[in-house]
Amino acid sequence: RLQPESKVYPHIDEGEYYKYRDRYHIVVRSPAGSEMIAGKEQILWREGEFWWFDNKAIHEAYNKGKDYRVHIIFDVLPDYKKAALKPLEESTSQGVVL
């Protein structure tokens, strides 16, 4: 949930967790649209849309509307990337969250 007339400042999602996962958004509520900038691409997401974007690139978000912006945000670990986690999982006593 992003407050009215606010923003998520430019950042990159870094670390081992994000290195292997893909980020998705479902736009649940966003009457004014959700302005999203990722890398050099800028787009306005609308209610009901489903998006993947590269959260490993610099990205930022704006809610220029007067109402809350609500997204369901989730990460997916694709099967083909699970194999890359095996050496990490074996080399640490804490394991890796799959």
Side-chain angles (χ1 to χ4, degrees):
R1 183 170 89 159
L2 188 57
Q3 293 184 34
E5 300 176 343
S6 63
K7 69 185 281 185
V8 175
Y9 289 90
H11 67 284
I12 296 173
D13 295 336
E14 298 180 297
E16 290 298 313
Y17 175 87
Y18 296 108
K19 184 176 181 180
Y20 299 101
R21 288 163 177 82
D22 294 330
R23 166 84 26 116
Y24 295 88
H25 283 236
I26 298 172
V27 183
V28 176
R29 178 159 173 72
S30 188
S34 297
E35 186 176 343
M36 195 70 182
I37 300 170
K40 295 181 180 180
E41 188 172 2
Q42 181 175 348
I43 194 157
L44 190 65
W45 295 355
R46 300 281 182 188
E47 289 181 11
E49 294 179 338
F50 175 76
W51 287 89
W52 167 87
F53 80 99
D54 185 2
N55 64 324
K56 294 153 194 78
I58 278 193
H59 58 281
E60 56 192 292
Y62 296 88
N63 179 10
K64 295 179 179 176
K66 302 286 185 199
D67 297 306
Y68 278 95
R69 180 201 91 164
V70 179
H71 289 194
I72 296 172
I73 301 171
F74 60 96
D75 300 321
V76 174
L77 177 62
D79 283 339
Y80 73 93
K81 291 184 179 179
K82 286 181 182 177
L85 290 177
K86 286 294 181 197
L88 292 173
E89 195 173 46
E90 293 166 0
S91 68
T92 178
S93 61
Q94 295 178 339
V96 174
V97 177
L98 295 177

